[in-house]
Structure formats: structure tokens, C-alpha cells
Amino acid sequence: MSKVTADISMSLDGFIAGPNVRPGNPVGDRGELLHDWYQAGGEIRDEIFDASGTIVMGRRMFDVGVEPWGDDPPFRMPVFVLTHRAREPLIKAGGTTYTFVTEGIAGALAQARVGAGDKDVAVFGGADVIRQFMTAGLLNELRLHLTHMILGDGTRLFDGMTPAQVELESTRTVESQGATHLTFRVVKKTWQKWPEGR
Amino acid sequence: MSKVTADISMSLDGFIAGPNVRPGNPVGDRGELLHDWYQAGGEIRDEIFDASGTIVMGRRMFDVGVEPWGDDPPFRMPVFVLTHRAREPLIKAGGTTYTFVTEGIAGALAQARVGAGDKDVAVFGGADVIRQFMTAGLLNELRLHLTHMILGDGTRLFDGMTPAQVELESTRTVESQGATHLTFRVVKKTWQKWPEGR
């Protein structure tokens, strides 16, 4: 059965982007170091893309990414962008379409599931979107690409989360040059709700 | 040749102790969860103790730990405690002695090396002491026992560190129930000094 997965690269000190993320600096200062493992870990990257049928991302990630991803984005599948403002879909070359969803994570997931068919729905970020999926119990698998570096500053993946919100069960660990790839099954904890206003 | 090693359990969000560390709450609120892997990972724990000849720790760690460790502490080897105030050694049963060193990390290391002979010097914490050893280029190996949980609050291992200070090269990864044990060789970076006052 198809899963809802999240893939994210994280430094040893818990950052998934450097400081000063903005258009022109999409992964923040020094954030590109988090993705160095792509070079040697191409097999792992291919595996992610092969298993996924659609992608969900937040609007901020889209805003800083859309320019560098260009006219032939690397996704080559439908991308659903969470936003508060309705907007016409953007169709790019190579199979990538950006569809803007105003019905929140559940609405985006419903559309992404239909688009994915038998394949997985991949939540690509940012951190806040992954946290929302995790704490709502909508994420089946978290794949942390733990890069062997200290970033020192930036956006933290687990910022504001508490031990009561999720339980993670390791199902696989793979090493590549410069990173350890940790796969977790996300076990929903229903006895504490995500704090209001987050 | 004998090495200087550091062993520390860390949550996925980077904490090595929960909040409110004090005598009577030595690893902070919920911090005991960080050490759950001891149960299933006894082999890894034994390996650490077998390889080590002496231990170095900070005074705060000593202050909160000395009571729970009791009259027959689990170390069974000489322990060197970094402190600003000279104090007579404390001799406990089973081979554990606490010696108080007022000459900083280099002074403690010199004494611990003599005591360790052919074995390793193990830096046991707290976070600030491990950071001092790392950034001074005195640590050869960092062994992170990454527990598969989110702690949410507490003491962060890499707090205040920057990418320029150390480079970590993975040399070994082992899984146990509930934790991934990551061993890194610490490569000193000499081109940026530890900021004054830390």
C-alpha cells in the first residue's frame, strides 16, 4: 500500500537549512552542505524519486525553490503546494506540475494520494510542513538524511515538538559518504494534541 | 596508540539531557529516556568501558551524579573532575577514584593520560566539556549514541558551535534497539578559533 513519506537532510545539530533562507539563497547560508551526500548517495536519491508518485511542499519552500528548479524541474511528477492563496497551476517541462492547494495538509494529501496512485506521497518540506504531517498522524515514514556536519544556525526540523507527539521506530539505516540515512516508522501518539496556534 | 574519546547519548533533536538538571534530577526531565539503549545495547556499553582507562568529566556532571553513582560507582577506574576549586581526592569502592583538577582541560588530560596507560581517555561530559575538548583539537573520537526520540527541551550538545570548528569523519555505524551508534574521527580545524569567553 502506498505510504506518506518525508525526506529531509539534517545536520548533526538538527538543522535542515542554514540561516537567511530567501529567494536567491534557497537553503540558507551554508545549507548546500546538507545536500552534499547527493553526489555519492545517488542511489538513495534515485530510490526516493522512484518510490514517489507525487510531492507535497509548503509555499515558502516553493517560493525560494521555483527559480533554481527552473523550467525543467528535477521532480518530474505532480507537486502540490500548500498555500493560503488560490492560484492557477503551473505546468513545467518533464512532467512537473505545481498545483496550489488552499485546503490545508489534509486537502493537499487527498489530492496527492489520487495523483500518486500506487506510489508514495513524498512530503519534501519545509520543516513546519513535515512537523504538521507528523503531529497530525498523517506521516507513515520519516527518512532523515543525517549529514556528518555541524551547521550551527538555521531552521531546526523538530523545533517546538515534544516527546509526547510522536514515536519513531527505526526500520533501516544506510551509510553513504558524509551521511547516515535513517528510516523511521512514525507511530502516532493521540494522547497529546499539537498545541493551538502552531 | 591510546585515544581521547567522548561518548554521549543524544536525542534526534540534539539534546543530551532534559531541562531542569540538578541534584536529584541528574539527567533532567525525561533525560533517562536517552539512556534506554543501555538495556539492549549492553555490548556497546561494555566496549566503551573496556577500552577506557580513565574518565574526564565536568564538575556539574560530578555534582549531580555523585549521589546516584553511590559508594560503588559504575566506572571502576580513575575519574578526573574539572573544577575551579581544589579539593582532596574521593576514593570509592571498586576502583573508582575522583580526582579534582584545577588546571583546565589540558591539565586534566595530562593526568588522565598517565592514568590510562595504553587505554583510552574517555570524556564523559557534560556537553560544555565535550565541546571544549572538540574545539581545542584534543578529542580524537566522538561517539554519538543517537536515540530514536524527540526530547523537545534541555541541553544541546553542539550549542554555540559553528561549521568551521570541527570536521567529523564517520568511521563506524552500529544499530541497537532504539539507538544508532555513530563513531566519528574528529578532524581539527585550525583556521578558526573557539570564540573568546566560551
Side-chain angles (χ1 to χ4, degrees):
Chain A
M1 190 179 133
S2 96
K3 297 188 297 273
V4 182
T5 63
D7 274 280
I8 195 134
S9 299
M10 186 177 87
S11 64
L12 289 171
D13 49 350
F15 296 105
I16 57 106
N20 306 314
V21 170
R22 57 170 176 260
N25 194 23
V27 285
D29 301 347
R30 290 182 302 268
E32 70 284 355
L33 298 171
L34 292 168
H35 304 105
D36 269 0
W37 65 268
Y38 282 180
Q39 307 301 321
E43 224 170 280
I44 292 158
R45 207 189 170 199
D46 289 348
E47 209 179 275
I48 297 164
F49 277 87
D50 289 349
S52 307
T54 53
I55 289 167
V56 175
M57 66 174 66
R59 194 191 49 81
R60 280 192 296 268
M61 184 174 176
F62 170 79
D63 281 350
V64 298
V66 64
E67 197 183 295
W69 294 324
D71 290 330
D72 185 9
F75 308 118
R76 301 176 175 270
M77 63 184 89
V79 176
F80 296 89
V81 181
L82 286 157
T83 179
H84 291 294
R85 214 178 320 174
R87 183 177 160 178
E88 286 300 302
L90 250 183
I91 296 163
K92 297 285 184 176
T96 300
T97 55
Y98 298 111
T99 303
F100 301 87
V101 184
T102 54
E103 294 86 18
I105 55 168
L109 181 56
Q111 290 192 47
R113 270 197 198 279
V114 171
D118 291 339
K119 290 196 163 189
D120 295 341
V121 174
V123 181
F124 264 29
D128 56 333
V129 173
I130 294 179
R131 282 196 299 266
Q132 283 181 54
F133 271 89
M134 251 194 293
T135 55
L138 296 175
L139 194 71
N140 300 119
E141 203 169 90
L142 173 66
R143 294 188 293 233
L144 272 185
H145 307 282
L146 192 73
T147 58
H148 301 156
M149 59 167 298
I150 293 160
L151 202 59
D153 194 8
T155 307
R156 291 190 196 272
L157 177 57
F158 297 111
D159 205 21
M161 286 188 67
T162 67
Q165 290 176 320
V166 285
E167 199 177 307
L168 299 170
E169 279 181 16
S170 171
T171 55
R172 187 188 181 204
T173 302
V174 180
E175 282 285 303
S176 74
Q177 180 69 34
T180 305
H181 307 273
L182 305 158
T183 303
F184 296 103
R185 194 168 75 84
V186 183
V187 183
K188 192 183 175 182
K189 292 197 172 179
T190 50
W191 48 281
Q192 185 174 321
K193 288 177 82 176
W194 189 232
E196 301 262 325
R198 281 203 178 270
Chain B
M1 190 180 131
S2 96
K3 297 187 298 273
V4 183
T5 64
D7 275 280
I8 195 134
S9 299
M10 186 177 87
S11 64
L12 288 171
D13 49 351
F15 296 105
I16 57 105
N20 304 315
V21 170
R22 57 171 176 259
N25 194 25
V27 284
D29 301 346
R30 291 183 301 268
E32 72 283 355
L33 298 171
L34 293 167
H35 304 105
D36 269 359
W37 64 269
Y38 282 179
Q39 307 301 323
E43 224 170 279
I44 292 158
R45 207 188 169 200
D46 290 349
E47 209 180 275
I48 296 164
F49 277 86
D50 289 349
S52 308
T54 54
I55 289 167
V56 175
M57 67 173 67
R59 194 191 49 82
R60 279 191 297 267
M61 184 174 175
F62 170 80
D63 282 349
V64 299
V66 64
E67 198 183 295
W69 293 325
D71 289 330
D72 186 8
F75 309 117
R76 302 177 174 271
M77 63 184 89
V79 176
F80 296 88
V81 180
L82 287 157
T83 179
H84 291 295
R85 214 179 318 176
R87 181 176 162 178
E88 286 299 302
L90 250 183
I91 296 163
K92 298 284 184 176
T96 300
T97 54
Y98 298 111
T99 303
F100 301 87
V101 185
T102 54
E103 293 88 19
I105 56 168
L109 181 56
Q111 290 192 48
R113 270 197 198 279
V114 171
D118 291 339
K119 292 196 163 190
D120 295 342
V121 174
V123 181
F124 264 31
D128 57 333
V129 173
I130 293 179
R131 283 197 298 265
Q132 281 180 56
F133 272 87
M134 251 194 293
T135 54
L138 297 175
L139 193 70
N140 301 119
E141 203 170 89
L142 174 65
R143 294 188 293 232
L144 272 186
H145 307 283
L146 192 72
T147 59
H148 302 156
M149 59 167 299
I150 293 160
L151 202 60
D153 194 6
T155 307
R156 291 190 195 272
L157 177 57
F158 296 110
D159 205 22
M161 287 188 66
T162 67
Q165 289 176 321
V166 285
E167 198 176 306
L168 299 170
E169 280 181 17
S170 172
T171 55
R172 186 190 181 203
T173 301
V174 181
E175 283 285 303
S176 74
Q177 180 68 34
T180 306
H181 308 272
L182 304 158
T183 302
F184 297 103
R185 194 169 74 85
V186 183
V187 183
K188 192 185 175 182
K189 292 197 173 179
T190 51
W191 48 281
Q192 185 175 319
K193 289 177 81 176
W194 189 230
E196 301 260 325
R198 283 201 176 271

